[in-house]
Amino acid sequence: MPTLALLHTSPLHVPVFDALRDEDHPGLRLRHLVDEELLSRAREEGPEAVRDEARAVLDRAVAEGARAVLCTCSTLGAVAETEGARAWRTVPVLRLDRPMAAEAVALGPRVLVVAALESTLAPTVALVDEEARRAGRPVTVRPLLADRAWSRFESGDTAGYVREVAAAVDTAAGHADVVVLAQASMAPAQRLTTATVPVLSSPRPGLAAAVRALDTGGAAPARPSRPRRGAGRASCVHPGPRRGAHG
């Protein structure tokens, strides 16, 4: 089976996607590329500041035989996607959150985007707007920063982090038709929230979309067409856990 490479900005994503693979896509070959510094720098300087470095990780994945690459970091998704579109025409580079955004647009015009990192809000809002234009649907996107959640994650309290995310959703979901959890790490909050509207997360649909790209022989899905520059350094594979970077 062809290999799917995953670009992560936290090693905590690795077991999550291995478990999803085992549940939904047994036999799928995954290669995890983890670079925590990409998100750290993107938070401080903006996603464009790490364009060269992100492209280097993609270069490495393709050179090592990946037939598709999936970026699991919402902050860097647009950068990875456009760099992939520029560099390779037969190896698709997908962003994890695009299928989630497309589903949100289909579910209703009032979309609440919840993030624990401020650097993730603007890219996710832009993605939902892009999918709305593509679908020809009018939407109103409201961002919400769960600002009490991230400190819990950084302290290692992942259960508390998820509870804070769910609480933020519950306080604001009444004014939305659908809720988007902007970061992959937020997915467990789906089980805790009491919201009566759909609450969407990205890992499962994003991985399924990447598998479809593999199954269709590497045909890339539609992406932003504007090319941008890039080149740079490679990432590490499976480094030790480090808190404070999890897109």
Side-chain angles (χ1 to χ4, degrees):
M1 176 174 282
T3 298
L4 171 65
L6 288 84
L7 167 56
H8 306 299
T9 51
S10 170
L12 297 181
H13 284 316
V14 173
V16 171
F17 284 91
D18 280 345
L20 280 177
R21 183 267 318 277
D22 294 343
E23 292 174 14
D24 297 344
H25 312 284
L28 175 65
R29 296 176 59 187
L30 298 181
R31 177 163 177 76
H32 299 283
L33 302 173
V34 184
D35 192 331
E36 297 178 86
E37 289 300 325
L38 289 177
L39 181 57
S40 296
R41 281 194 56 208
R43 290 180 63 191
E44 295 174 1
E45 305 173 39
E48 289 298 318
V50 298
R51 180 171 293 277
D52 290 353
E53 290 86 346
R55 186 178 183 186
V57 179
L58 301 179
D59 283 337
R60 175 182 175 181
V62 174
E64 293 177 348
R67 293 288 299 277
V69 184
L70 179 63
C71 177
T72 66
C73 176
S74 299
T75 299
L76 301 178
V79 168
E81 204 175 43
T82 55
E83 283 303 316
R86 180 175 190 256
W88 311 292
R89 301 303 176 188
T90 59
V91 175
V93 177
L94 302 90
R95 56 186 295 178
L96 182 73
D97 49 358
R98 185 173 288 281
M100 174 181 65
E103 183 180 357
V105 166
L107 287 173
R110 299 178 302 167
V111 181
L112 176 66
V113 172
V114 181
L117 275 177
E118 189 170 3
S119 64
T120 302
L121 280 175
T124 307
V125 169
L127 177 63
V128 173
D129 283 337
E130 181 186 331
E131 287 297 323
R133 291 192 299 272
R134 182 174 293 170
R137 294 174 179 267
V139 300
T140 300
V141 186
R142 184 161 64 99
L144 174 64
L145 181 64
D147 53 3
R148 293 171 53 183
W150 192 249
S151 62
R152 289 186 177 270
F153 180 82
E154 289 185 311
S155 70
D157 181 10
T158 54
Y161 165 66
V162 172
R163 285 196 301 270
E164 289 288 353
V165 170
V169 170
D170 291 343
T171 62
H175 301 287
D177 298 304
V178 58
V179 177
V180 166
L181 300 178
Q183 294 161 248
S185 56
M186 293 177 156
Q190 285 180 298
R191 299 191 297 269
L192 297 183
T193 177
T194 61
T196 58
V197 299
V199 178
L200 307 182
S201 64
S202 57
R204 193 177 298 273
L207 182 61
V211 171
R212 288 193 295 272
L214 286 174
D215 290 343
T216 54
R223 305 188 192 94
S225 58
R226 184 171 57 186
R228 297 176 185 175
R229 57 188 176 82
R233 66 182 176 83
S235 75
C236 56
V237 180
H238 285 277
R242 192 183 84 188
R243 298 189 186 110
H246 196 110

